[in-house]
Amino acid sequence: MDLQHWLGRATHAIQDWADTFGPYQPHPALQVDDGRFATAFEDFTARLRDNYPFFHPHYAGQMLKPPHPAAVVGYLTAMLINPNNHALDGGPATARMEREAVAQLAAMFGYDTHLGHLTTSGTIANLEALFVARELHPGRGVAYSADAHYTHGRMCRVLGMEGHAVPTDDRGRMDLDALEDLLRSGRVGTVVLTAGTTGLGVVDPIHEALILKERYGVRFHVDAAYGGFFTLLAGAEGPEGLAPEPWRAIARCDSVVVDPHKHGLQPYGCGAVLFRDPEVGRFYLHDSPYTYFTSTDLHLGEISLECSRAGASAAALWLTFRLLPPTADGLGRVLAAGRRAALNWAQLITTSDHLELYQQPELDIVSYFPVVDPATLSGIDRASARILTDGMTSPDPVFLSTLRADSEAFAARHPKVTTDADGARILRSVLMKPESEHHVEHLHQQVERLAGQRPPLAR
């Protein structure tokens, strides 16, 4: 795609539409001449240079990458109108686009029926899911794994619910025996299972947990904000294929959250929450004396805790899905490249003299640490911090991130490492750009070189 061409077409298309309503004179209070704007724009673009190169395959740090050009064009085109998807009065076209795009997400997870909408983030999406959970099970708490996103504990406090962190096994998955012990107490009404933890990309055993859902009559919510689109690789052939069982089990859970602004190629912020039972919409019921007046159809604001939401986000997602739908042959090919990259890098690390794999990647997050002598947590922590900094300042830079692993988790995976501290930073790389597949060897060589450079002894 020629982005500059299509952005030009976008302004012309919106101007052609605007011209059908007749001419008018913009108010002089809004006028800014090109000279003044040029000065401000120069300062603005100079400030933007203080960013990491999220677009580049040598950036292998956090879950950040630019949106697809189709999403950029869709967002900016709709933004020129600036619809508000709270009500059909504020965005009739983009509200329809939102419903269509959300229906595609529901089909991706195997929901036969659904109620859902886009949100500004996974945090808000999870808040909505837990809000509904509270209304269905008043007075009962929420269980989530100790490695789940901190959103859940924080949102429980916001909602006045008791939160319970469930221990994890030596792979970072929720311990189902510990979960059942908690469920026997009767204090829990909802269990949050994670399909892709943001630290290590671990998928909880959702399919195995379903028996507890029936046994104890609890509600199951799946936080798939980061990993949800990997369901497109469930049962796929080739090295990128994932075991289908946990992903297919999502269809039997009560709600699910996914963030299109991660693997859905969208700009921030675009999250989504989906409920399997449309009847939960009754918990959102409210009235507004100045909206919802143009149509008797359901307005998206009637099933959302948020009010104003950018119709441009829905437009961007709808246009992207027209070109790269959430199917195995569409977005699935994008995710497959990142997963293959993670598996390839993990294999390179296993043969390295300077790096050691923390644990085998499940999705597209690679976790590893520098080999130090003696093998201690404190030594690993210092070396990881040095590599992170040296990598960014190298003439041929590589951008990583770190993850703090506590001593118990580290010992479970690497018992030969001396636990002389309560934890250590390890290195972590998210390979969510498909271009990473062609750059992992270079990334590995750079990190291995940095790991092999020993710092001078302290005097």
Side-chain angles (χ1 to χ4, degrees), residues 328-342:
D329 292 333
L331 273 176
R333 295 175 59 196
V334 179
L335 278 86
R339 175 152 161 76
R340 287 194 299 267

Side-chain angles (χ1 to χ4, degrees), residues 121-131 134 142 144 149-163 192 221 223 305:
S121 67
T123 299
I124 297 300
N126 278 311
L127 171 64
E128 295 211 14
L130 296 185
F131 159 72
R134 185 191 69 180
V142 175
Y144 43 83
H149 198 273
Y150 63 83
T151 289
H152 302 293
R154 188 168 65 180
M155 291 303 103
C156 283
R157 293 195 297 273
V158 169
L159 292 165
M161 305 169 74
E162 192 175 23
V192 176
H221 168 61
D223 180 1
L305 291 183

